[in-house]
Amino acid sequence: MSYLFQDWQSNRRNFKGQLVLCMFRLVSLINRSMVAKVIFFPYLMLYRYAVEWVWGIEIPRKTKIGRGLSLYHGQALVLNQGVILGDNCTLRNSVTIGHKKLANGTFSRCPRLGNNVDVGANVVIIGDIEIGDNVVIGAGSVVTKSIPANSVVVGNPARILEKETL
């Protein structure tokens, strides 16, 4: 039971975030077994309908998400199924995290975010990149290159703020 509610405390006073993440954790459990997928097929469809179509949040059931994810104003949130999020990450509205199409027509791997990453509103993170632990990504940033741990990133294209300006 604690697995289903591991994000509950991170989303205090945000019932939508609590409900979406509880539904995601349940669908992740179901996804581990083919028998469970067959038995709970109606729930898988309900999850997709409610979360993606009604609430406008795309979190595929195969996405790897650490404990304590916080969703602030989760509308228009899009995660690719290959994305990996560490523990205690925060995602705001209109965030897109996924792969990018390469020159040869194939797709890159998806981004991997470390622990305690805070992603601002309207951020785009694409490509085979790694975001280190304790990174803050400012609103409206477009991140296409890896970011080291303990950084603050802003802009389009994203750039790391120097420590003296923090």
Side-chain angles (χ1 to χ4, degrees):
M1 252 346 224
S2 66
Y3 177 79
L4 295 178
F5 297 104
Q6 63 184 302
D7 307 299
W8 206 261
Q9 196 63 24
S10 304
N11 291 282
R12 283 187 306 267
R13 297 186 210 138
N14 178 4
F15 183 68
K16 178 181 173 183
Q18 289 174 330
L19 186 58
V20 166
L21 289 170
C22 184
M23 290 178 74
F24 168 75
R25 298 299 180 183
L26 182 56
V27 85
S28 294
L29 280 175
I30 293 168
N31 197 55
R32 295 178 184 177
S33 163
M34 184 55 86
V35 173
K37 286 187 221 177
V38 171
I39 293 170
F40 293 104
F41 181 77
Y43 178 76
L44 296 176
M45 292 297 95
L46 172 69
Y47 171 79
R48 189 152 191 188
Y49 174 75
V51 174
E52 289 185 21
W53 298 349
V54 174
W55 291 317
I57 299 173
E58 290 186 34
I59 305 178
R61 62 184 183 196
K62 294 180 182 178
T63 307
K64 292 183 175 90
I65 298 176
R67 297 179 65 86
L69 175 63
S70 294
L71 299 180
Y72 288 103
H73 313 291
Q75 197 65 25
L77 174 67
V78 178
L79 301 180
N80 186 287
Q81 72 179 6
V83 169
I84 299 173
L85 298 179
D87 294 339
N88 304 313
C89 289
T90 300
L91 302 177
R92 289 179 178 74
N93 58 299
S94 302
V95 168
T96 300
I97 305 176
H99 60 252
K100 68 179 179 180
K101 191 170 187 178
L102 303 173
N104 65 4
T106 62
F107 292 97
S108 70
R109 288 179 52 200
C110 290
R112 292 152 318 275
L113 281 66
N115 299 326
N116 306 308
V117 175
D118 190 337
V119 181
N122 301 307
V123 169
V124 176
I125 304 171
I126 58 171
D128 184 9
I129 61 174
E130 290 193 31
I131 309 296
D133 295 341
N134 307 310
V135 170
V136 176
I137 302 173
S141 298
V142 177
V143 182
T144 59
K145 295 181 179 165
S146 293
I147 306 297
N150 305 309
S151 300
V152 176
V153 178
V154 296
N156 178 7
R159 63 180 172 36
I160 300 171
L161 292 180
E162 298 297 324
K163 297 235 186 251
E164 297 86 44
T165 62
L166 297 179

